[in-house]
Amino acid sequence: MLKIKKIKKENMLNENKRNSIIFGLSTSKKIAKNISELTGIKLGESKKKSFADGEIFVELSSTVRNKSVFLIQSTHYPANDNLMELLLFIDAVRRSSAKEVNIVIPYFGYARQDRKVLGRQAISAKLVSNLLTTAGANRIITFDIHSEQIAGFFDIPFDNLKAYGLIAREISKLNLKDLTIVSPDHGGVSRARSLAKILDNSPLSVIDKRRTNHNESESMFVLGDVKNRNIVIFDDMVDTGGTVVSAVKILKEQGAKDIYLAISHAVLSDKDGVKAKDKLKECGIKKIITTNSISHDKDDFIQYIDLSNAIAETIKHHINNKSITNWFVKEYNTYI
Ligand code: R5P
């Protein structure tokens, strides 16, 4: 009797896999392949071409009829092209009779503009959420989005998985004594507090950051004592590196010992001909711990944590009607 039950369950799980398909778009081919191998779900084939004027053309080579489709694409540089490619794929999938269109966006670009700082500005995070939903997305899965409230810009399920659960594991391996977690600005306090909580309730310090110009900032003062403490600065992303460089400067002035950087997303852009990575190396950071939400070449200075397994398990839980929250809490000691 038990054996029959087991066979029935296995048949059902295989059926769920057969009824699903994964597509890795331009930014996420490698991670999509890993996820396909880990889940046993077929990796779909597709074509993407560009017209002479820069317009993008997409076409699915594999059928998606009545399937749960998972499109994987980070929307980093070139953000507009990568976002547009994603929107076109969603449209193609929806028009090809998919059962549901699930979008996995390991790094969710355009999330920083989630409110008007001054009058007459766009709220681009809201516009992007409208675009994704209008194109036909039924569900969004992402990691450590810039602000939690962006979930409310969507009227579809939105899973913001916590990459810092994975990052915390790697920080623990460093065995840092006298550890203080530092948020480089007010906006990141709750995220940094969550990381500090996982790391044996380490003390938390906050830097008062002021934006001096577009893509430029200044660290004004540190809230909390960092003297003779080993520091992990934790932020959702590093773009030009300006925020972190000024944070390191003020932390050193206040007598901090070794300084590490943990970030969920290594955007790492160039600004005025200077590479963000070079800036970070030169400012005295010992090591960077991040994820592969954005792919870069291997580097001894930066440790990339692979998100493939977390995404694969999320997909498996979803197609098998199992709770993603319960699994995530148990596995990574974080809620979602
Ligand atoms: C801003 O609130 C974000 O959390 C990051 O601190 C910021 O976007 C990093 O940008 P950059 O590296 O250019 O200073």
Side-chain angles (χ1 to χ4, degrees), residues 97-299:
S97 307
K99 189 175 84 184
E100 53 172 22
V101 193
N102 302 284
I103 316 300
V104 182
I105 313 180
Y107 167 69
F108 193 116
Y110 274 115
R112 277 180 286 182
Q113 288 165 265
D114 55 0
R115 71 202 153 97
K116 281 188 180 190
V117 177
L118 295 170
R120 302 192 297 276
Q121 292 181 342
I123 303 181
S124 51
K126 171 61 182 157
L127 175 64
V128 168
S129 73
N130 287 348
L131 291 172
L132 291 167
T133 312
T134 305
N138 298 125
R139 164 183 307 276
I140 309 289
I141 298 164
T142 190
F143 284 90
D144 290 0
I145 195 156
H146 181 66
S147 58
E148 294 274 358
Q149 52 271 36
I150 292 173
F153 291 173
F154 289 90
D155 284 325
I156 54 173
F158 184 94
D159 290 326
N160 180 32
L161 307 179
K162 303 299 188 293
Y164 60 74
L166 287 81
I167 289 173
R169 281 186 184 172
E170 298 308 313
I171 296 175
S172 300
K173 288 183 196 160
L174 297 172
N175 280 322
L176 298 172
K177 300 258 173 307
D178 307 320
L179 173 64
T180 292
I181 304 297
V182 172
S183 172
D185 55 32
H186 298 279
V189 174
S190 114
R191 197 171 26 235
R193 192 184 295 122
S194 304
L195 179 75
K197 199 172 153 207
I198 306 175
L199 293 166
D200 299 329
N201 278 317
S202 299
L204 177 70
S205 282
V206 181
I207 292 176
D208 181 32
K209 174 175 105 174
R210 308 276 162 91
R211 279 261 167 233
T212 43
N213 226 321
H214 185 66
N215 245 189
E216 277 173 24
S217 63
E218 205 178 312
S219 297
M220 306 305 283
F221 60 88
V222 184
L223 298 166
D225 189 8
V226 292
K227 193 160 189 236
N228 292 325
R229 305 287 301 175
N230 286 312
I231 303 292
V232 172
I233 301 174
F234 181 47
D235 208 354
D236 58 328
M237 61 189 283
V238 164
D239 185 4
T240 64
T243 300
V244 170
V245 170
S246 68
V248 170
K249 185 169 172 274
I250 198 165
L251 289 166
K252 282 190 175 164
E253 283 166 9
Q254 307 267 323
K257 283 207 284 202
D258 289 344
I259 304 179
Y260 296 78
L261 173 64
I263 40 166
S264 308
H265 310 290
V267 178
L268 300 180
S269 308
D270 296 355
K271 184 167 180 267
D272 303 330
V274 185
K275 287 188 174 16
K277 192 160 75 178
D278 294 343
K279 254 193 231 171
L280 297 171
K281 260 187 191 160
E282 281 160 24
C283 79
I285 284 171
K286 289 211 81 154
K287 185 181 177 178
I288 301 178
I289 298 176
T290 186
T291 72
N292 64 345
S293 64
I294 300 173
S295 33
H296 292 282
D297 294 338
K298 272 197 173 161
D299 189 307

Side-chain angles (χ1 to χ4, degrees), residues 82-97:
N82 289 334
L83 175 63
M84 194 63 200
E85 179 191 346
L86 176 59
L87 293 169
L88 292 170
F89 264 101
I90 297 172
D91 189 66
V93 169
R94 181 175 58 88
R95 291 174 191 282
S96 307
S97 307

